Amino acid sequence: MLKGKFSIEVRDDETSCKIGLKLRDFLLANEMVEDKETPDYVFAIGGDGTVLRTFSKYIDIIDSVKFLSIHTGHLGFYTDYSAKDFEKIFFDMLALEPKVEQYPLLRLKAYCKDGKLIADSYSLNEITVNSHSGSTYAAKVFINGEHFENFRGDGLCISTPTGSTAYNKSLGGAVIHPQMDLYQITEIAALNNLVYRTLGNSIILSKEDELIIKPLKLDNHRISVDFRTFNYDTVSKLYITLAKDKKISFIRYNDVSFWKRVKRSFIENE
Ligand code: NAD
């Protein structure tokens, strides 16, 4: 049985709240202590969106927290338990030692014209950049300081391995095993002509690679980090890497392989 402090984050619906209360009673009865500020374990009950919001809430202490998620909706990519079999979690917690899996995160730093840092964030799924004025997004893309391509189109999606099954997948990017230390750039509706020419394919970058995006039009920027979207008047440079200082940890009691989860979510749920 786990020992230490826990916090339960629930999506605001009846099923998630009911499961949250039962889980809380179980954890308290097994001598765990509720602590919303500095928990050792965080239980997210809801959907993938609940995991994203919970991750963002605990980002400052992410290295000392382990997550477990129960999904109460249709898709649960970060989860091993569903609403209909959630009581199995009680048996598993009492009988089994969990495995801990760590997944990489993205780090974004954005600067404005005078070089001031205007955003410093971590992402679990993806960072997307585009224009909020309705016109195309145009930018020079650099990899490790070398100019790589000139992009013009709707925007760019930079995703983690766990985020590869989210927005990235809808854009035609590759699905990546979540424990691989790499990240991916996927174009959003690139406009290719003689002036703006991009590779077209998704690009997989290593944990050492540094991506720099220098927008050609400095105004009307929209940057999305997972579920949050920020509008900026000017952005002159975005610096994106795999986070060197933080990862997210999940505890897993059963061995639902990643590829089984992919099949279950996107191909068939046998
Ligand atoms: P939301 O309520 O619109 O839900 C987005 C959907 O994405 C949900 O079905 C969720 O289960 C799924 N999802 C989230 N993370 C996933 C993952 N890692 N793997 C597989 N599916 C995943 O929005 P939200 O709950 O605020 O979630 C924000 C996420 O929505 C973003 O991080 C982005 O990945 C995704 N999104 C997708 C598209 C698209 O596919 N066209 C567009 C915008 C945002």
Side-chain angles (χ1 to χ4, degrees), residues 8-168:
I8 300 177
E9 301 291 324
V10 292
R11 187 171 59 192
D12 189 15
D13 64 70
E14 205 184 326
T15 310
S16 304
C17 291
K18 268 191 191 158
I19 291 178
L21 288 175
K22 283 193 180 172
L23 180 62
R24 182 174 182 272
D25 288 346
F26 170 81
L27 297 174
L28 290 173
N30 282 281
E31 292 176 11
M32 290 189 73
V33 178
E34 190 165 28
D35 181 344
K36 293 242 172 237
E37 300 301 315
T38 56
D40 304 305
Y41 299 96
V42 173
F43 297 84
I45 304 172
D48 292 318
T50 319
V51 176
L52 294 174
R53 283 157 184 79
T54 305
F55 157 76
S56 137
K57 179 170 175 182
Y58 288 104
I59 186 64
D60 290 340
I61 55 162
I62 203 86
D63 284 326
S64 56
V65 175
K66 294 182 182 63
F67 291 83
L68 192 147
S69 170
I70 298 172
H71 77 90
T72 54
H74 296 295
L75 251 186
F77 229 85
Y78 287 104
T79 59
D80 286 341
Y81 295 91
S82 67
K84 70 176 185 313
D85 70 358
F86 87 92
E87 280 173 351
K88 190 171 173 303
I89 199 174
F90 302 145
F91 297 100
D92 287 350
M93 283 176 106
L94 289 172
L96 304 173
E97 275 300 312
K99 246 180 36 183
V100 178
E101 286 186 1
Q102 288 200 312
Y103 307 141
L105 306 170
L106 283 173
R107 175 94 184 257
L108 159 79
K109 289 186 178 182
Y111 300 87
C112 69
K113 227 176 357 194
D114 60 10
K116 205 171 118 207
L117 183 69
I118 49 171
D120 184 356
S121 308
Y122 292 86
S123 151
L124 177 56
N125 263 358
E126 76 285 290
I127 293 158
T128 55
V129 289
N130 52 35
S131 155
H132 68 77
S133 69
S135 64
T136 53
Y137 183 82
K140 283 180 184 284
V141 176
F142 296 79
I143 298 175
N144 301 328
E146 292 261 347
H147 177 238
F148 184 72
E149 63 184 13
N150 290 338
F151 175 84
R152 187 172 169 203
D154 281 3
L156 292 166
C157 170
I158 298 97
S159 61
T160 62
T162 42
S164 70
T165 45
Y167 192 13
N168 168 73

Side-chain angles (χ1 to χ4, degrees), residues 77-78 124-126 157-178 182-184 186 204 258-259 262 266:
F77 229 85
Y78 287 104
L124 177 56
N125 263 358
E126 76 285 290
C157 170
I158 298 97
S159 61
T160 62
T162 42
S164 70
T165 45
Y167 192 13
N168 168 73
K169 184 177 177 298
S170 308
L171 296 168
V175 171
I176 310 269
H177 190 282
L182 47 80
Y183 63 113
Q184 181 169 191
T186 304
I204 312 275
F258 171 71
W259 297 113
V262 172
F266 298 115

Side-chain angles (χ1 to χ4, degrees), residues 150-152 187 189-200:
N150 290 338
F151 175 84
R152 187 172 169 203
E187 300 175 359
L191 204 161
N192 268 310
N193 54 35
L194 290 179
V195 184
Y196 294 95
R197 180 129 304 273
T198 54
L199 192 64

